[in-house]
């Protein structure tokens, strides 16, 4: 027995040719649509990557600015400098050199406050006033002792300014 020669019939040849051509056309359609979809996704990912990088840069800039301002604010709220000045330059019977030494002695007494919070200093300003007024100052080259009275005490961003007047204690 023999297998009938179906490959010679035109109907079968058209059927198999149609299947082959349909397969090729379907495969080409699949490749084109898949490639276009892939290309759209790649473009979308690149755009999002660029946007993410821009946002990261902006975030870095903003956070560094915030860190800088926080550091500056922290510096503003800490005491950096203590100044002592005399209010009555002419009426006191003290020499300029004595005034300078007394102002320096008051500044040296308050030097330990540098680096403290201004809020803490503002809360304890009466204690500062009492500590300075209750102390008698004796200068190195002078045998006399001096009492200091605080007229004004100003505390602002990083600076403690004290206006004092002095007299010779008895």
């Amino acid at each position: 027995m023999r297998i009938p020669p179906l490959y010679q019939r035109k109907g079968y040849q058209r059927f198999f040719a149609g299947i082959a051509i349909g397969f090729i056309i379907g495969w080409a359609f699949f490749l084109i649509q898949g490639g276009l979809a892939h290309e759209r996704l790649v473009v979308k990912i690149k755009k999002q990557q660029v946007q993410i990088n821009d946002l990261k840069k902006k975030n870095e800039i903003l956070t560094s600015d915030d860190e800088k301002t926080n550091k500056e604010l922290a510096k503003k709220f800490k005491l950096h400098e203590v100044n002592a000045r005399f209010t009555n330059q002419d009426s006191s019977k003290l020499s300029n050199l004595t005034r300078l030494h007394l102002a320096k002695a008051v500044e040296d007494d308050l030097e330990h406050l540098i680096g403290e919070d201004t809020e803490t200093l503002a809360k304890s300003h009466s204690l500062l006033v009492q500590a300075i007024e209750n102390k008698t100052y004796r200068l190195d080259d002078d045998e006399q002792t001096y009492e200091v009275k605080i007229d004004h005490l100003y505390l602002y961003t990083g600076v403690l300014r004290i206006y004092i007047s002095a007299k010779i204690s008895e």
Side-chain angles (χ1 to χ4, degrees), residues 18-33:
I19 288 177
I21 291 174
F23 178 76
I24 292 172
I25 291 174
W27 186 251
F29 180 76
F30 172 74
L31 286 178
I32 290 172
Q33 288 301 319

Side-chain angles (χ1 to χ4, degrees), residues 120-137:
T120 307
L121 294 173
K123 287 180 182 177
S124 63
H125 74 280
S126 60
L127 185 62
L128 277 171
V129 170
Q130 289 176 0
I132 293 172
E133 287 183 351
N134 290 336
K135 184 175 181 184
T136 57
Y137 292 93

Side-chain angles (χ1 to χ4, degrees), residues 107-154:
E107 289 175 3
D108 288 344
D109 283 344
L110 297 177
E111 192 175 76
H112 70 280
L113 297 176
I114 292 177
E116 294 291 324
D117 277 345
T118 54
E119 183 178 348
T120 307
L121 294 173
K123 287 180 182 177
S124 63
H125 74 280
S126 60
L127 185 62
L128 277 171
V129 170
Q130 289 176 0
I132 293 172
E133 287 183 351
N134 290 336
K135 184 175 181 184
T136 57
Y137 292 93
R138 183 181 190 114
L139 302 180
D140 295 333
D141 56 348
D142 202 0
E143 296 177 5
Q144 297 176 341
T145 58
Y146 300 94
E147 291 179 0
V148 175
K149 182 178 181 293
I150 294 180
D151 296 330
H152 302 288
L153 182 121
Y154 295 111

Side-chain angles (χ1 to χ4, degrees), residues 39-55:
E39 185 179 350
R40 281 193 303 263
L41 290 175
V42 167
V43 168
K44 186 176 181 180
I45 288 172
K46 290 294 182 186
K47 284 181 183 178
Q48 288 175 346
Q49 220 169 19
V50 167
Q51 188 177 11
I52 287 171
N53 288 338
D54 288 344
L55 291 175

